[in-house]
Amino acid sequence: MSGYDSLELGEEQGRRIDALKRSQDTFERNTDHVLSSLRSKLSDVEGTVEQLEDRERSTGRRFDTLEADLEEAKKTAEARSDELEEAVSAADAGLERLSTRVSALERHLRQAEGAVVVDLDSDRGGKLRGLGLTVEEGLAAEEVLLSAHQRNVLQLRITHYQQARQALARHRSTVRDAAAVLASTAAGDPRRKKAEQAFTKAAAEAQTGQERIGRLAQSAQSAQAEQSADNARRAESAVVVEAGQRACTQLRVRLRSRLSDALTGTDLLPVWFTTALGPMAPPRRAEEWLEAALEVLAYRVTYQVTDPVLALGSAPSASQDPRRAAQFNELKRDLRDWG
């Protein structure tokens, strides 16, 4: 008999109670399992948090160490910078003393009996001066000509006008073709709609193109006139420009040969040369130095500068000779790198 007979319960109610009891047992087991799993996960989370805290503390220590290392490196760099500045200052002072001694020695040599100073300004018969003046004439002739950029701008204005005229011609041709189709087709013809669209679009573009041509025409005519005038000036000055270019080549060849002989010889260089350019070319910029020296030599022979101390002589008047004044100022700026 069932254990519920003494409570006078029905057989059906007993089964229900047994089922509820089993469900409760199952629920308790599942709950225990879930709680156990949650405890395990919570333990894992706590372990992870501890690891992160350990890493944070370790990172903090590393950061502190890195900061200390950087501070030490900064102090070391500052100390070395101070040492470098002192070394540079000492080197500058030593170089200044050496330059003074070299200058004194050079003065002594110049005063010594039999001392010979190279005459870089020598120009027997005025041939070098003649070449220099021919160069200046060629450059002056080139100055009145338009540059390549200016000519390109003029040509671009002309090209825009020509392109606008070509586009207008195409639009007008489209208008004529569409008008012919409209005049020869009936209302229901499938070609008519397409022709109407083409006519409307091309007519509007032709109107816009006509207005654009009106704006471009004057600019193109002006550009054409400037271009023609420049072509005429080029034809007139071609002989002078070419002569200047040939003279420039000849002058530089002669001056370069003279300067090479002076630098490799045993005679003293002029005071104006060593004052402006130093006694010799710097190893790393020898070609630049040589070019600067040639420009100065060309200036002196062209304008007959004979000043024994000043490489370029006195400053010329910008109002009386603007080309020479501009050249003087440019050379003066260049010599700041060498003197």
Side-chain angles (χ1 to χ4, degrees):
M1 292 181 68
S2 173
Y4 299 101
D5 290 344
S6 59
L7 298 176
E8 298 181 353
L9 297 173
E11 189 174 321
E12 181 65 25
Q13 289 176 330
R15 285 197 297 271
R16 290 181 179 179
I17 290 174
D18 289 338
L20 288 173
K21 190 174 185 305
R22 287 193 298 272
S23 296
Q24 183 179 2
D25 293 340
T26 301
F27 176 76
E28 290 177 352
R29 287 194 301 271
N30 290 340
T31 301
D32 290 340
H33 178 72
V34 171
L35 288 174
S36 177
S37 178
L38 289 175
R39 292 191 188 96
S40 176
K41 291 181 179 180
L42 179 60
S43 178
D44 292 340
V45 170
E46 290 175 346
T48 302
V49 170
E50 290 178 357
Q51 291 178 359
L52 291 175
E53 290 176 347
D54 291 340
R55 289 181 182 178
E56 183 179 3
R57 287 192 292 270
S58 176
T59 301
R61 288 193 296 271
R62 290 180 181 177
F63 180 79
D64 292 339
T65 302
L66 178 60
E67 189 175 14
D69 291 342
L70 289 175
E71 185 64 26
E72 183 179 354
K74 180 181 177 181
K75 292 179 180 179
T76 302
E78 291 175 350
R80 291 183 178 178
S81 177
D82 293 339
E83 293 175 359
L84 180 60
E85 290 181 1
E86 292 177 0
V88 171
S89 299
D92 289 340
L95 181 60
E96 186 174 355
R97 289 193 299 271
L98 180 61
S99 299
T100 302
R101 294 180 63 184
V102 169
S103 298
L105 178 61
E106 186 176 4
R107 285 195 299 270
H108 178 72
L109 290 174
R110 291 180 187 278
Q111 294 171 0
E113 185 178 354
V116 178
V117 179
V118 178
D119 185 7
L120 294 177
D121 297 323
S122 175
D123 186 17
R124 294 180 181 178
K127 293 182 179 180
L128 295 179
R129 172 172 166 75
L131 290 174
L133 292 177
T134 303
V135 172
E136 291 302 308
E137 290 175 0
L139 293 176
E142 283 188 274
E143 280 186 347
V144 300
L145 303 178
L146 296 177
S147 66
H149 173 70
Q150 290 172 320
R151 289 182 63 87
N152 288 337
V153 171
L154 294 178
Q155 185 58 49
L156 191 61
R157 286 158 57 184
I158 297 171
T159 301
H160 285 168
Y161 173 71
Q162 294 172 343
Q163 291 174 342
R165 287 179 58 87
Q166 293 170 359
L168 178 60
R170 290 195 299 270
H171 298 323
R172 286 177 173 174
S173 177
T174 302
V175 169
R176 288 193 298 268
D177 293 343
V181 173
L182 293 175
S184 61
T185 56
D189 194 309
R191 293 175 297 170
R192 190 174 184 84
K193 184 176 181 180
K194 184 177 180 180
E196 290 175 351
Q197 293 174 346
F199 181 90
T200 302
K201 181 180 179 182
E205 290 178 341
Q207 179 63 33
T208 302
Q210 184 63 50
E211 295 173 356
R212 183 167 181 264
I213 285 178
R215 295 192 299 270
L216 295 176
Q218 186 174 359
S219 176
Q221 291 173 359
S222 174
Q224 183 66 58
E226 290 183 54
Q227 199 176 68
S228 298
D230 187 61
N231 290 338
R233 288 193 297 269
R234 286 178 182 275
E236 292 174 359
S237 61
V239 174
V240 177
V241 172
E242 290 175 3
Q245 293 172 347
R246 290 195 301 271
C248 181
T249 301
Q250 295 173 16
L251 179 62
R252 291 181 67 84
V253 168
R254 294 188 183 186
L255 292 179
R256 192 182 186 101
S257 175
R258 173 178 293 185
L259 184 57
S260 297
D261 291 342
L263 294 174
T264 56
T266 57
D267 295 339
L268 295 174
L269 292 170
V271 173
W272 66 260
F273 187 95
T274 56
T275 300
L277 294 154
M280 63 185 65
R284 296 183 180 180
R285 300 176 62 188
E287 189 61 32
E288 294 179 48
W289 180 87
L290 183 59
E291 288 297 318
L294 290 176
E295 292 294 334
V296 173
L297 286 177
Y299 180 88
R300 287 179 68 91
V301 299
T302 299
Y303 298 110
Q304 294 183 309
V305 177
T306 57
D307 193 301
V309 178
L310 300 178
L312 303 177
S314 301
S317 171
S319 59
Q320 296 179 359
D321 195 343
R323 271 195 52 77
R324 179 180 174 181
Q327 191 175 1
F328 176 91
N329 292 329
E330 183 177 356
L331 289 174
K332 187 176 180 181
R333 287 192 298 268
D334 292 343
L335 288 177
R336 292 173 185 172
D337 294 336
W338 312 111

